[in-house]
């Protein structure tokens, strides 16, 4: 730990183009170093004498045996590492000194120990807000937060409930549903809506290849038949659409595990991409696929650690985070007043910790015989929550969707159509049986035997 973080910091100091990063890291003197004490002393003395740190050639001419490393970690990570480094140095110094003093020097040993504890406590950089003394500051902060634009989800009725959409101040939205309920489609809808409104998006797709997520994006955006796009049946209209889309200045990225440098996706890996591309909406289409960075005792602790990391990411970078989770099989026994299964936040796979941490929790279901998708607000930190249910009649093949005011009266409500797209057929079967949609073969993008839209 000691040598690695010291080398990372020195490498960052010598290679960064950011004066802010440079000043922050150079604020830590040689007392924070054990192995590279001489090296950091040379760098800081050079900066004091010449107004800047030495270049890489000058440094390596002085220290020929040092090989600098590439550093992708955020500055906060390096600063935390240096502080822990100094704590370890103080601890070792304390053990050695007390051992030298021996039992005959009890008074001196206690005095030394007290001084070391004071030195260690000075490393604590916690800065709690005094809501009494800083009352004006916190009130102003709320005003500033409310000036931030919210990200439309693509569902107007839900946006109204959330005061305009997802917050870029702090937001962790968890979506819970059984297989075949439309989680991936809803996540793609949110990506499309955010991008259309000027918010850069990063979509983590652990199961479906990026190009197919892109095809769903196109279906939501311009109602091209997804069945045609999936098979590569492109019209001239679609090719012109792609040319126009490429001129858009707002980015939407889709990343798979194979795209990550480590070959797996972690919170810190996503954080690097969020920072690099100035992402304002991060979508994780499957929490269980995120790799843990430290071994957890069980899935419950793993999910808690991952979601804590995602929530910190949200607050650090002003990036809303949406996480999709499977509902467990107990959902079949959790029925609403209509006698139909509807998951709650307590049926989340393996753990309900993500729902406890979340700012908002939505659960979903499909009522296939009515072509209805229900989305229920299970939890909200801000909205006046009466667990409202938002019902939509939709056709995943065309991206046409209509809000249904009263589901009880909508048993015969047709799927929304336009003059150029077909309607959904009257029956859709779930599971290993056939899924019949006019002109559309459903895609299996889930790790279950069921088929998920």
């Amino acid at each position: 730990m000691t040598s690695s973080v010291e080398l990372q910091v020195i490498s960052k100091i010598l290679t960064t183009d950011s004066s802010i990063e440079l000043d922050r890291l150079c604020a830590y003197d040689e007392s924070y170093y054990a192995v590279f004490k001489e090296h950091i002393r040379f760098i800081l003395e050079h900066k004091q004498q010449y107004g800047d740190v030495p270049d890489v050639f000058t440094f390596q001419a002085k220290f020929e045996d040092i090989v600098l490393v590439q550093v992708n970690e955020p500055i906060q990570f390096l600063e935390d590492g240096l502080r822990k480094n100094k704590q370890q140095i103080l601890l070792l110094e304390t053990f050695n000194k007390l051992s030298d003093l021996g039992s005959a020097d009890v008074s001196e040993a206690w005095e030394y120990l007290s001084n070391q504890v004071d030195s260690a406590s000075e490393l604590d950089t916690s800065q709690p807000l005094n809501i009494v003394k800083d009352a004006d500051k916190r009130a102003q902060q709320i005003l500033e937060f409310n000036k931030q634009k919210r990200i439309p989800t693509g569902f107007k009725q839900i946006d109204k409930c959330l005061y305009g959409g997802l917050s870029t101040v702090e937001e962790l939205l968890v979506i819970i549903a059984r297989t075949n309920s439309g989680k991936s489609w809803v996540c793609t809808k949110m990506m499309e809506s955010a991008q259309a409104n000027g918010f850069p998006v990063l979509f983590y797709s652990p199961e479906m290849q990026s190009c197919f997520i892109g095809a769903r994006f196109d279906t939501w955006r311009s109602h091209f038949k997804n069945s045609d796009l999936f098979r590569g049946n492109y019209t001239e209209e679609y090719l012109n659409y792609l040319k126009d889309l490429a001129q858009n200045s707002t980015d939407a990225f889709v990343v798979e595990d194979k795209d990550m440098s480590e070959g797996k996706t972690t919170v810190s890996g996503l954080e690097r991409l969020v920072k690099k591309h100035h992402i304002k909406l991060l979508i994780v289409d499957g929490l269980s696929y995120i790799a843990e960075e430290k071994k957890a005792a069980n899935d419950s602790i793993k999910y808690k650690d991952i979601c804590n990391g995602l929530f910190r990411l949200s607050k650090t970078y002003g990036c809303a985070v949406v996480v999709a989770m499977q509902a467990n099989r107990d959902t079949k026994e959790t029925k609403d007043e209509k006698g139909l299964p509807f998951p709650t936040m307590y049926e989340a796979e393996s753990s309900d910790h993500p729902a406890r941490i979340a700012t908002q929790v939505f659960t979903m279901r499909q009522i296939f015989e009515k072509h209805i998708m229900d989305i229920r607000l299970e939890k909200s930190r801000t909205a006046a929550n009466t667990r409202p249910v938002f019902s939509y009649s939709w056709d995943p093949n065309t991206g046409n969707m209509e809000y249904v005011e009263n589901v009880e009266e909508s048993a015969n409500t047709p799927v929304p159509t336009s003059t150029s797209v077909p309607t959904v057929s009257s029956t859709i079967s779930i599971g290993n049986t056939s899924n019949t949609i006019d002109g559309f073969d459903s895609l299996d993008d889930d790790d279950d035997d069921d088929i998920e839209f």
Side-chain angles (χ1 to χ4, degrees):
M1 172 64 184
T2 300
S3 60
S4 62
V5 72
E6 291 179 14
L7 182 57
Q8 282 180 299
V9 173
I10 286 175
S11 298
K12 191 70 171 180
I13 288 174
L14 295 175
T15 58
T16 183
D17 294 325
S18 169
S19 60
I20 295 176
E21 292 181 345
L22 185 64
D23 289 342
R24 285 175 62 175
L25 294 178
C26 286
Y28 297 89
D29 61 28
E30 63 186 70
S31 67
Y32 288 83
Y33 295 78
V35 178
F36 291 87
K37 189 180 291 287
E38 181 184 358
H39 307 76
I40 191 64
R41 186 188 301 123
F42 174 77
I43 291 172
L44 296 179
E45 288 177 352
H46 189 286
K47 186 174 188 295
Q48 183 177 7
Q49 183 174 355
Y50 299 106
D52 200 357
V53 298
D55 60 25
V56 172
F57 180 83
T58 300
F59 177 82
Q60 292 189 321
K62 172 72 174 178
F63 304 102
E64 297 179 357
D65 58 330
I66 300 300
V67 178
L68 300 179
V69 297
Q70 181 178 350
V71 182
N72 296 317
E73 298 291 356
I75 294 300
Q76 186 64 52
F77 174 89
L78 299 177
E79 289 183 308
D80 289 344
L82 283 176
R83 284 190 287 270
K84 290 179 181 178
N85 208 41
K86 186 166 184 176
Q87 288 176 334
Q88 184 177 7
I89 293 170
L90 288 172
L91 186 62
L92 291 174
E93 287 178 352
T94 302
F95 284 146
N96 293 333
K97 180 67 173 179
L98 292 177
S99 177
D100 292 340
L101 288 173
S103 59
D105 303 306
V106 174
S107 297
E108 185 179 354
W110 276 112
E111 182 180 359
Y112 176 80
L113 182 60
S114 176
N115 291 334
Q116 289 293 86
V117 170
D118 290 341
S119 297
S121 65
E122 292 175 1
L123 297 174
D124 184 5
T125 59
S126 302
Q127 294 180 325
L129 175 67
N130 188 332
I131 64 171
V132 176
K133 294 290 192 295
D134 297 325
D136 288 341
K137 179 181 178 180
R138 62 177 170 82
Q140 185 62 36
Q141 193 172 36
I142 291 177
L143 293 178
E144 293 300 320
F145 285 163
N146 278 278
K147 292 179 182 178
Q148 302 295 318
K149 292 183 178 180
R150 287 181 172 262
I151 304 174
T153 64
F155 301 87
K156 293 182 180 179
Q157 297 74 23
I158 293 177
D159 289 341
K160 184 177 180 181
C161 185
L162 300 181
Y163 305 113
L166 302 175
S167 171
T168 55
V169 175
E170 59 175 37
E171 190 79 271
L172 177 62
L173 167 63
V174 174
I175 301 175
I176 302 171
R178 282 293 291 158
T179 301
N180 198 35
S181 298
K183 295 188 299 297
S184 296
W185 277 101
V186 167
C187 286
T188 312
K189 176 66 173 174
M190 290 184 176
M191 173 175 63
E192 186 276 327
S193 177
Q195 191 279 335
N197 285 277
F199 295 93
V201 187
L202 174 63
F203 187 112
Y204 168 51
S205 177
E207 296 172 344
M208 183 176 289
Q209 294 201 49
S210 302
C211 57
F212 294 133
I213 295 294
R216 290 186 173 190
F217 177 99
D218 300 334
T219 295
W220 280 122
R221 173 63 57 87
S222 295
H223 307 293
F224 294 103
K225 292 183 185 178
N226 199 259
S227 54
D228 287 342
L229 302 186
F230 177 70
R231 292 176 294 182
N233 294 334
Y234 301 154
T235 63
E236 184 176 352
E237 179 187 4
Y238 179 67
L239 295 176
N240 289 332
Y241 155 85
L242 292 179
K243 291 180 181 178
D244 291 340
L245 182 65
Q247 304 305 311
N248 199 299
S249 60
T250 303
D251 295 320
F253 298 95
V254 181
V255 64
E256 304 172 53
D257 290 329
K258 64 179 178 59
D259 302 321
M260 303 298 287
S261 57
E262 303 89 349
K264 62 182 180 179
T265 302
T266 60
V267 173
S268 61
L270 292 172
E271 182 177 2
R272 289 196 296 269
L273 292 176
V274 166
K275 179 182 178 182
K276 179 179 179 180
H277 298 290
H278 308 289
I279 299 299
K280 286 300 173 184
L281 175 61
L282 168 64
I283 297 174
V284 176
D285 189 17
L287 182 63
S288 61
Y289 293 91
I290 297 289
E292 54 191 335
E293 303 190 58
K294 59 180 181 179
K295 186 64 177 176
N298 52 52
D299 282 346
S300 180
I301 301 300
K302 169 189 172 183
Y303 288 177
K304 179 181 179 182
D305 291 344
I306 290 173
C307 283
N308 277 332
L310 290 172
F311 197 22
R312 283 194 296 269
L313 182 155
S314 173
K315 291 189 283 188
T316 300
Y317 298 99
C319 172
V321 178
V322 175
V323 175
M325 292 185 69
Q326 289 281 2
N328 60 40
R329 299 183 188 278
D330 292 342
T331 298
K332 296 178 180 179
E333 307 303 322
T334 307
K335 299 180 180 180
D336 63 3
E337 62 277 4
K338 302 182 181 69
L340 299 175
F342 208 147
T344 70
M345 59 190 284
Y346 303 106
E347 274 81 55
E349 58 175 330
S350 301
S351 173
D352 62 0
H353 274 299
R356 297 184 206 174
I357 298 168
T359 54
Q360 326 281 348
V361 178
F362 283 94
T363 57
M364 289 177 49
R365 72 175 175 193
Q366 290 273 5
I367 305 177
F368 291 96
E369 62 272 18
K370 298 181 180 180
H371 310 300
I372 295 295
M373 175 177 64
D374 288 334
I375 303 176
R376 181 169 65 198
L377 178 59
E378 282 284 308
K379 170 192 172 181
S380 177
R381 287 188 181 177
T382 54
N385 187 16
T386 57
R387 299 181 78 206
V389 176
F390 304 92
S391 300
Y392 297 89
S393 176
W394 72 311
D395 177 5
N397 191 35
T398 63
N400 287 285
M401 180 178 66
E402 290 180 1
Y403 179 63
V404 180
E405 292 284 351
N406 189 329
V407 178
E408 287 300 315
E409 297 176 359
S410 65
N412 298 315
T413 300
V415 172
T417 62
S418 68
T419 56
S420 60
V421 297
T423 61
V424 172
S425 66
S426 58
T427 60
I428 303 178
S429 302
I430 313 174
N432 294 324
T433 57
S434 64
N435 284 252
T436 305
I437 301 178
D438 291 347
F440 180 56
D441 296 328
S442 298
L443 312 181
D444 190 345
D445 65 351
D446 201 87
D447 61 344
D448 208 319
D449 289 334
D450 298 326
I451 295 175
E452 178 171 359
F453 290 122

